[in-house]
Amino acid sequence: MDKKQYLVKILTQLEPIRNLAKWLKILVEQWHLDDNMLDVITQAVEWAIHTTKEQLAKEKLQKGLNALQKLKQLEAESRAKDEQDLAELDKMLEEI
């Protein structure tokens, strides 16, 4: 699952609690949003989770948000690894 799919899943769970979640979900599903915009929506979801009164719903949504943050971390690590690999390839090409 990618960031967009996780965000849709979290917004689906948030729909009964927050009215805006339905519209954010439609936006995420229907539009081709870049990572920055997905991050903005994720921040809005974080705010909604922190302001949710019902403890069980809050815990459930927090788990989904944690999974999304882990995915973000893995993407960053993957990008760093890719950059390192490209640097090594450049070095090998220079030595030819």
Side-chain angles (χ1 to χ4, degrees), residues 1 3-4 9 14 16 25 29-30 37 46 50 53 59 72 74 77 79 83 85 87 96:
M1 244 190 249
K3 187 188 303 187
K4 184 176 179 177
K9 190 172 185 177
L14 195 57
K25 179 181 159 188
E29 289 176 324
Q30 302 296 321
M37 194 61 192
E46 288 175 0
H50 294 299
K53 303 284 189 237
E59 289 172 5
K72 232 168 130 178
L74 291 174
E77 291 171 1
R79 267 183 280 186
E83 288 176 12
D85 290 345
I96 292 179

Side-chain angles (χ1 to χ4, degrees), residues 11 14-15 18-27 29:
L11 288 169
L14 195 57
E15 280 182 55
R18 296 285 186 198
N19 295 333
L20 189 58
K22 176 182 177 182
W23 301 108
L24 288 173
K25 179 181 159 188
I26 291 170
L27 180 70
E29 289 176 324

Side-chain angles (χ1 to χ4, degrees), residues 12-13 42 50 54 61 78 84 92:
T12 301
Q13 292 177 354
T42 301
H50 294 299
E54 188 180 328
L61 294 169
S78 176
Q84 182 182 13
M92 290 173 64

Side-chain angles (χ1 to χ4, degrees), residues 2-12 20-34 37-42 44-45 68:
D2 64 357
K3 187 188 303 187
K4 184 176 179 177
Q5 291 171 323
Y6 273 116
L7 191 53
V8 168
K9 190 172 185 177
I10 292 168
L11 288 169
T12 301
L20 189 58
K22 176 182 177 182
W23 301 108
L24 288 173
K25 179 181 159 188
I26 291 170
L27 180 70
V28 170
E29 289 176 324
Q30 302 296 321
W31 290 66
H32 297 288
L33 303 173
D34 65 2
M37 194 61 192
L38 290 175
D39 289 340
V40 168
I41 295 172
T42 301
V45 170
L68 187 61

Side-chain angles (χ1 to χ4, degrees), residues 45-59:
V45 170
E46 288 175 0
W47 175 82
I49 289 171
H50 294 299
T51 59
T52 299
K53 303 284 189 237
E54 188 180 328
Q55 188 61 32
L56 183 59
K58 188 174 189 172
E59 289 172 5

